Amino acid sequence: MSDTPFALPDDRWRETHLGRLLGHAMRRFDARVLHLMAHDVEVPLALSNLAARDQVTAAHIHITRHLALGGSRLTDLAAAAGMTKQAMGDLVGQCEAWGLVVRESDPRDARARRVRFTDAGVAWLAAFQRAVAQAEQEFRDDVGPAVAAVVALGLEAYTQA
C-alpha cells in the first residue's frame, strides 16, 4: 500500500517547473555577481576578501539591491527586500561591522534610525553595478540576444502583473 493518498504517474515536473528554474537561475546569477565582486580590484580589499571567502552571501545582496542612495529606515529596507525587520537588522549589523553601511539618526524623525552606505559601501555598490552588467552580458552570450531579450521582457511583464 502506498503512503500517498493518490498516485502521481510522473513527478519530473518538480524539477522543471518555472519557480524552481527561476530559483536556480537567481542563485547562479547571484553567485556569479559575488564572484565578480570578489575579484574586482576597485572593491575595498577587506570586502573583496569577505566575498572571496563566501562570507558575503546572496542575503547580503538584499541590502545592496534595496538600500536607497540617500538611506533607508530599517523597516522600509526589510519590506523592500521581503524580509522580517529582525532578519534585516542582523544583515545590517554585519554590513555595519564590515564598513559597508552606517546607522544614524533620521533627520525627519529623532526616534527613528536610517541606514546608509558608507564610502566603502558606495564603492561596493559600484562594483555590484559592474558585476551585474557583466553577469547580464554573460547571460546574453550564453543564451543569445533574442532569448535574453524575451526572458527579460517576460520577467518584467510577470513582475508587473
Side-chain angles (χ1 to χ4, degrees), residues 1 43 45 62 67 71-72 74 91 106 154 158:
M1 178 131 191
V43 170
L45 185 59
H62 284 307
L67 181 58
S72 302
L74 187 64
L91 287 176
D106 187 330
Y158 183 68

Side-chain angles (χ1 to χ4, degrees), residues 1-13:
M1 178 131 191
S2 173
D3 291 337
T4 59
F6 54 89
L8 290 174
D10 182 1
D11 70 346
R12 288 178 289 183
W13 65 271

Side-chain angles (χ1 to χ4, degrees), residues 28-42 125-143 148:
R28 178 181 173 185
F29 189 86
D30 285 349
R32 182 63 180 148
V33 166
L34 286 171
H35 174 81
L36 292 167
M37 292 175 73
H39 297 88
D40 187 322
V41 296
E42 295 184 43
L125 184 61
F128 181 72
Q129 181 181 20
R130 288 188 299 274
V132 165
Q134 183 173 338
E136 286 180 349
Q137 183 58 54
E138 291 171 0
F139 173 75
R140 283 189 293 277
D141 294 344
D142 285 350
V143 301

Side-chain angles (χ1 to χ4, degrees), residues 6 20 22 25 36 43 49 62 69 71 73 127 147 161:
F6 54 89
R20 187 165 181 142
L22 288 170
L36 292 167
V43 170
N49 284 337
H62 284 307
L69 293 177
R73 289 184 180 181
V147 171

Side-chain angles (χ1 to χ4, degrees), residues 34-35 37-39 46-56 124:
L34 286 171
H35 174 81
M37 292 175 73
H39 297 88
L47 294 174
S48 65
N49 284 337
L50 286 168
R53 293 190 335 258
D54 296 327
Q55 298 297 306
V56 181
W124 177 263

Side-chain angles (χ1 to χ4, degrees), residues 43-125:
V43 170
L45 185 59
L47 294 174
S48 65
N49 284 337
L50 286 168
R53 293 190 335 258
D54 296 327
Q55 298 297 306
V56 181
T57 66
H60 295 95
I61 294 298
H62 284 307
I63 292 174
T64 309
R65 281 190 179 119
H66 299 290
L67 181 58
L69 293 177
S72 302
R73 289 184 180 181
L74 187 64
T75 53
D76 296 333
L77 184 56
M83 300 173 66
T84 65
K85 183 179 173 185
Q86 182 177 355
M88 182 54 76
D90 291 344
L91 287 176
V92 167
Q94 289 176 334
C95 290
E96 191 171 29
W98 297 338
L100 283 173
V101 299
V102 64
R103 296 180 217 218
E104 57 192 16
S105 296
D106 187 330
R108 289 181 274 164
D109 183 349
R111 299 167 296 161
R113 310 262 303 151
R114 292 185 69 78
V115 179
R116 71 165 177 81
F117 285 113
T118 61
D119 289 344
V122 171
W124 177 263
L125 184 61

